[in-house]
Amino acid sequence: MEWKAAATIFQRESPFSWIFVVTATISDVAVLAGVGIGTVSRVLNNSEQVRPDTRAKVMSAIEQLGYTPLRASKKRSRQEGGYVGVLVHFFEGPSAYERLRGIVRQLQPHGFEVVLDIVDSPEKARRRLMELPGNRELDGCIIMSLPLRGDEGERLSHARFPTVLVDAAHPALPSVTIDDRSGGRMATQYLVDLGHERIAFVGEPHRNPFGFIASKSREEGFLTVMADSGLDVPGSMLKHGAHLRSAGRQMALELFSNADPPTAIVAASDLQAVGVLEAARDAGRTVPGDLSVIGFDDIDLASFVGLSTIRQPLEWSGIRGAEVLLQAMQAGDRPTPFNETLQLELIVRTTSGGAHVRRRS
């Protein structure tokens, strides 16, 4: 299994310069040798599929950095820290950075090095989850934003190291989550209270390879409030697309083409909400005069563009998940399964306001 040092990734791909790692990693070796991580791994495993000159460059980099393969490193006591694996389904989104920042912030002072395994397909995720319980390199594991099947959670609950879920839940493991339906209700009720009746929803497809349900749950909260308020939601007012700004923009443009377009839009994520704002600008619709927009997450970009949103405690969820794991590792025991639901907060900024009679396109 290939694990990457989270701190090293943060140094190269994010502005969080305060996060660092003291020990060299396989990624560092690859960069110094000018090869891929897979090549370094093959050298470490004495593969014959590596050219002699390439092998020499890799070995030279290992020597210069003083790199010790994780699987061969000396086992440290709990007082000296150890290795915590973080399994995550992707690493492009701002939410993942925030949660990981919280995890590192909580574990690093206790001497634990955080290492990442990023899965980019459901097949890879299933394979990693099968391999994890037998891993002898890790002292603990956090699985972030990755839904588990029943048997996967049960296997992890009997692993030799404790496992905690963040932004995911399973009855056999401790987890730190939010109530997505409640968040969807909160966003929608706010717009209804402002007098909006033609409210649309943009989110992600219900069926997806990884089995994510956050957007679907937020949509269910939206629909509940609309129904309770006696407000109709035609199918044309529900749009689904990728977790991208470009998808949010395209969905909003489709909504604007309706005979009676919405006066407000609830987005299942801030990224999609920013796309909605871009579409409104391109279509000549003023915000919040012609259109109110509310997102979900409260990533850093949200405050920059003045986006009203539902704030979930992203960094704190990482801190709290790591805190639960740390307590279990220090006690040398598996934590009792539970689900801790963190509080959501409505953040009102400049993209939302009272409903007005819209001009027809």
Side-chain angles (χ1 to χ4, degrees):
M1 185 184 303
E2 194 100 352
W3 295 86
K4 302 179 183 180
T8 299
I9 290 176
F10 265 56
Q11 286 177 322
R12 296 195 179 121
E13 299 183 10
S14 83
F16 308 137
S17 58
W18 56 269
I19 298 176
F20 64 94
V21 60
V22 177
T23 58
T25 69
I26 192 171
S27 299
D28 299 321
V29 174
V31 170
L32 184 58
V35 299
I37 291 175
T39 300
V40 178
S41 179
R42 285 190 286 274
V43 170
L44 293 171
N45 290 310
N46 297 316
S47 171
E48 297 180 356
Q49 298 179 355
V50 182
R51 294 183 305 183
D53 59 333
T54 302
R55 184 183 303 276
K57 287 193 297 184
V58 171
M59 295 304 296
S60 175
I62 289 173
E63 183 176 354
Q64 290 181 57
L65 294 170
Y67 170 71
T68 301
L70 183 60
R71 62 177 179 275
S73 60
K74 182 180 178 181
K75 181 67 176 178
R76 293 180 284 186
S77 68
R78 282 193 290 272
Q79 288 73 26
E80 295 175 313
Y83 294 99
V84 170
V86 176
L87 184 66
V88 60
H89 70 280
F90 67 80
F91 203 64
E92 290 82 10
S95 299
Y97 280 111
E98 290 294 313
R99 291 192 177 98
L100 185 59
R101 179 166 64 177
I103 291 170
V104 174
R105 177 178 173 182
Q106 180 66 23
L107 293 176
Q108 200 170 53
H110 296 274
F112 286 94
E113 181 178 330
V114 176
V115 291
L116 282 178
D117 190 20
I118 306 168
V119 291
D120 54 9
S121 70
E123 295 75 22
K124 189 173 181 180
R126 305 279 78 86
R127 185 168 65 252
R128 289 291 192 262
L129 289 167
M130 286 292 292
E131 296 169 346
L132 260 177
N135 188 294
R136 305 195 65 81
E137 303 166 350
L138 302 178
D139 299 275
C141 183
I142 294 176
I143 298 177
M144 190 167 73
S145 306
L146 186 65
L148 302 186
R149 297 173 180 172
D151 60 328
E152 292 167 342
E154 291 293 339
R155 281 171 54 83
L156 284 167
S157 71
H158 293 95
R160 65 172 188 81
F161 53 81
T163 298
V164 175
L165 307 182
V166 173
D167 192 39
H170 189 283
L173 296 167
S175 59
V176 179
T177 64
I178 61 167
D179 186 339
D180 288 295
R181 289 184 183 83
S182 176
R185 291 195 298 269
M186 189 182 300
T188 311
Q189 189 63 60
Y190 165 64
L191 294 174
V192 170
D193 291 343
L194 287 174
H196 292 279
E197 297 182 355
R198 294 283 298 171
I199 307 175
F201 180 90
V202 299
E204 298 172 53
H206 294 180
R207 297 178 63 87
N208 57 81
F210 281 99
F212 303 135
I213 61 171
S215 178
K216 179 176 182 291
S217 296
R218 294 167 191 177
E219 183 176 339
E220 290 171 354
F222 163 80
L223 292 171
T224 296
V225 170
M226 295 294 283
D228 291 346
S229 303
L231 299 175
D232 185 37
V233 184
S236 60
M237 297 288 271
L238 299 174
K239 297 293 182 179
H240 304 99
H243 185 79
L244 298 169
R245 287 169 58 176
S246 57
R249 179 183 181 278
Q250 179 59 41
M251 289 186 284
L253 291 174
E254 293 173 5
L255 289 168
F256 297 158
S257 68
N258 288 348
D260 197 2
T263 64
I265 295 178
V266 175
S269 69
D270 287 346
L271 284 180
Q272 291 178 324
V274 171
V276 171
L277 294 177
E278 292 174 339
R281 177 200 62 199
D282 296 344
R285 284 169 163 76
T286 62
V287 175
D290 294 329
L291 178 74
S292 286
V293 181
I294 185 167
F296 202 113
D297 286 333
D298 198 28
I299 60 177
D300 288 343
L301 182 60
S303 61
F304 181 76
V305 299
L307 177 66
S308 295
T309 188
I310 301 300
R311 173 185 291 166
Q312 61 165 313
L314 294 168
E315 183 177 353
W316 174 249
S317 68
I319 291 173
R320 182 63 186 131
E323 186 177 59
V324 173
L325 182 67
L326 181 63
Q327 292 170 350
M329 291 189 297
Q330 291 176 334
D333 198 6
R334 298 186 184 92
T336 302
F338 68 93
N339 180 31
E340 181 173 327
T341 305
L342 303 181
Q343 293 297 309
L344 300 171
E345 182 182 0
L346 171 65
I347 303 298
V348 176
R349 297 193 178 102
T350 61
T351 63
S352 56
H356 301 281
V357 177
R358 267 204 40 73
R359 64 178 183 269
R360 292 298 183 97
S361 300

